[in-house]
Amino acid sequence: MDLSLDRPGEYLFVRRVGARSITVVDREFTRSLLLAPDRTIENWPVTHASTLDAGHVETILELQPEVVILGTGERQVFPAAAFMAGFLRKGVGIEVMDNAAAARTYDLLAGERRRVVAAFILPEN
């Protein structure tokens, strides 16, 4: 069996997840963010899943994902059905999980060169 080494430098990846921060490659973020394999959108203005609305759907869809991974903090919290439906109407899959699981899933999908966007919600400091 042939094995090949994928170098993480080919895409942005999550190195560490803490209660109030996420480290992407070598940079620590302490505010909510959107992460795609080729870019990071800093200071995403969301601090809890209950505040997500249609405007947030459009911001995420601008990154043209095939699947969205929503990390809702230390615990899994489902947003309003209307928010979730915004993705489904556009044919984009969305999964909701805690930030640690979201980071692992994002890294796996990004490593497979999938068009994935992770939306990480971090509490205000």
Side-chain angles (χ1 to χ4, degrees):
M1 170 175 37
D2 290 332
L3 297 176
S4 63
L5 174 64
D6 275 337
R7 303 223 180 260
E10 296 176 6
Y11 59 92
L12 295 173
F13 61 93
V14 178
R15 181 180 302 275
R16 182 183 170 285
V17 176
R20 297 187 166 275
S21 67
I22 293 180
T23 303
V24 176
V25 186
D26 290 325
R27 183 163 176 218
E28 183 178 53
F29 293 88
T30 57
R31 298 199 53 188
S32 298
L33 67 138
L34 301 176
L35 178 62
D38 63 341
R39 69 184 114 166
T40 303
I41 308 297
E42 298 180 51
N43 302 320
W44 187 45
V46 177
T47 58
H48 194 273
S50 64
T51 63
L52 291 167
D53 61 27
H56 298 115
V57 171
E58 292 305 318
T59 300
I60 295 169
L61 288 176
E62 287 175 6
L63 297 171
Q64 301 178 334
E66 67 183 37
V67 65
V68 174
I69 307 299
L70 177 62
T72 58
E74 289 190 278
R75 292 188 175 86
Q76 181 183 38
V77 178
F78 285 92
F83 173 79
M84 302 288 284
F87 294 100
L88 300 178
R89 279 194 292 278
K90 299 288 187 175
V92 174
I94 180 166
E95 294 291 334
V96 180
M97 48 195 79
D98 64 62
N99 280 348
R104 290 188 301 269
T105 304
Y106 165 84
D107 281 348
L108 177 73
L109 294 174
E112 293 175 349
R113 294 179 174 79
R114 302 271 305 272
R115 289 188 346 253
V116 60
V117 170
F120 292 104
I121 299 174
L122 294 169
E124 287 185 301
N125 291 329

